[in-house]
Every structure is written in structure tokens, then in C-alpha cells.
Amino acid sequence: MSRTIKITGMAEIMYQRMEESWQTSPRVTYSMSAETGAADTFIKGFNEAHAHENLKMNYNHILMKACALASKKYELFNSSIESGEIVVHDEINIGLAVATEKGLLVPNVKKVDQRGFEELCEEVSRIIGGARAMGLSYDDICGGTFTITNLGMYGIERFTPIINQPEVAILGVSRIYEKLVMEGGEILQKRYMPLDLVADHRIIDGALAASYLNEVKGFLEAPERLMD
């Protein structure tokens, strides 16, 4: 027998925002993969160095920092469209989609470009824990300027996320895969992370999106640059 499920609470908010985004933004998806060897080494070194502090880095921290610094160079990715005008924000606040028992939440970390990795790891741990415990503040949820959603841990190979209004772009991250590549006459096995950037085509064209995504890819493949 059929039954009706009333859409309320967080599900209702998500329903409304996704419907608004779908109707508002003419979106285009740009796909690229980044080799993860350098990031793997960087993460391992950081975690070993900070084991006594109970700090643990993962790909999300590198992605957040990479997107923040890329947004400093390409400022339209840190903007929104309001009343027919482009508003470029003075803070780079990166949101991270978090699945909870009551639905999807997107808390954000403020001023990611200005934070070191130690501080970033602590803050990401705090907002994820707060999201799952339903203990976030209004400030934790509001003010995001760019969103990352990572479904790699669920085995997703590629997907096209919906832009989190009023932002103008979102980065989807999928499961890391391995493939054989030829380098210097040798066959090597390497790991790659799929990146799918969805951008609002009203203000972000293909060339700009490609430049931004290449910048993020460059940081992932040389994460020491994120320490500059």
C-alpha cells in the first residue's frame, strides 16, 4: 500500500534550495582528473608529524585549501549573483557537504585561504562533528562562497552536483582510480582523483572554468605549493 512522506525540516530546506538552484543557474560541468601521488605523500607526512596532536589530514583539507587559493586568483569563483549584479566576496569561505541522519548539511570554514593546515584540520573536524550532532551555529551554515562535495568514499565514479545557491560553482570529487601510464619509456601504475566542476554559465565560461580547474589540479599534484 502506498504511503505519503511529508517533506519537513532539513529535507524541506534542501528540497527548496535544490529546486531554486535547478531553475536559476544554467550550469555546465567540466571534468578533469588529478594524479594523487604527491598528495598521498604530503598527507602521510603531515599525519606522522602531528600524530601526537591528534590531527589528521585527508584529501578534503587539501581540496579546500586548493580551491580557496584558486579562488584568490580567479575571483569570480568566490562570487554570487544578487539582484542582477555580480558580488565578489571579500572572504573565501569553503563549504563541505556533510551527510547526517537528518539530511545533507553544508557547513563552511571561514577564510580558508588564510588558515594553515593545522588550524584547517581542527576547524573541519569541528564543523563535521557539529553537523552530525546537530550542534552547528547559524554562522557555521551561512556565508559560504564555494562548496566541495566528496562522494569518493561511497564508490561514486563521477557525478554532477547541483550548485549551492547563491554560489556560482561547486566541485564534485569521486572515487580515486588506478591506471597504467607510460613515462620515460616505463609503464607505471598511478592513482587519479576525478574532479567535476559545475559552474554557472551566466558568469563563468568554459575557458575560465578550465583555468580554475587546472589551478586546483596543479595544487593537488604539488601540494607543497599550498604552504607558500
Side-chain angles (χ1 to χ4, degrees):
M1 183 176 180
S2 300
R3 65 192 181 96
T4 300
I5 300 175
K6 188 172 179 59
I7 302 174
T8 61
M10 286 177 53
E12 182 179 16
I13 294 171
M14 183 170 65
Y15 174 97
Q16 293 171 346
R17 296 194 68 173
M18 293 301 99
E19 183 177 48
E20 175 193 1
S21 182
W22 190 261
Q23 295 174 349
T24 301
S25 301
R27 68 205 65 77
V28 179
T29 303
Y30 305 90
S31 301
M32 192 175 288
S33 291
E35 198 268 314
T36 67
D40 292 335
T41 300
F42 188 80
I43 289 170
K44 181 180 179 181
F46 180 94
N47 289 341
E48 288 176 349
H50 295 84
H52 63 290
E53 302 169 59
N54 201 28
L55 286 178
K56 192 167 184 180
M57 176 188 286
N58 57 42
Y59 293 116
N60 286 336
H61 302 106
I62 294 179
L63 285 162
M64 292 175 77
K65 188 75 171 178
C67 288
L69 294 186
S71 294
K72 285 190 73 173
K73 183 173 181 179
Y74 301 102
E75 64 178 11
L76 284 182
F77 284 87
N78 198 56
S79 70
S80 59
I81 300 176
E82 301 176 18
S83 301
E85 296 182 329
I86 299 172
V87 178
V88 178
H89 303 292
D90 56 0
E91 289 186 2
I92 301 176
N93 304 331
I94 305 293
L96 186 65
V98 180
T100 75
E101 291 182 354
K102 295 187 177 181
L104 187 70
L105 282 177
V106 188
N108 63 83
V109 176
K110 305 295 191 288
K111 302 180 180 179
V112 172
D113 57 310
Q114 300 177 29
R115 295 179 185 263
F117 276 114
E118 292 83 357
E119 186 181 3
L120 183 58
C121 287
E122 290 177 347
E123 185 65 3
V124 170
S125 179
R126 183 189 70 80
I127 64 169
I128 290 177
R132 291 173 177 165
M134 295 292 116
L136 293 173
S137 69
Y138 179 80
D139 187 59
D140 291 327
I141 295 294
C142 295
T145 59
F146 184 93
T147 296
I148 296 170
T149 176
N150 189 341
L151 294 180
M153 67 287 291
Y154 297 107
I156 295 299
E157 296 179 355
R158 294 226 92 113
F159 69 110
T160 301
I162 296 178
I163 296 169
N164 186 22
Q165 294 292 323
E167 298 166 18
V168 297
I170 184 170
L171 182 68
V173 184
S174 299
R175 179 178 65 86
I176 292 172
Y177 63 92
E178 296 182 349
K179 73 174 183 179
L180 299 178
V181 297
M182 179 74 76
E183 281 190 11
E186 293 185 86
I187 298 176
L188 304 175
Q189 182 170 297
K190 292 193 172 186
R191 285 159 43 91
Y192 291 86
M193 175 185 290
L195 305 172
D196 292 291
L197 176 71
V198 180
D200 188 329
H201 204 52
R202 289 177 296 177
I203 65 170
I204 296 173
D205 61 25
L208 180 58
S211 297
Y212 179 90
L213 198 51
N214 267 303
E215 189 77 5
V216 173
K217 170 184 164 77
F219 282 126
L220 287 171
E221 294 184 341
E224 67 278 0
R225 293 173 53 210
L226 298 171
M227 305 290 287
D228 294 342

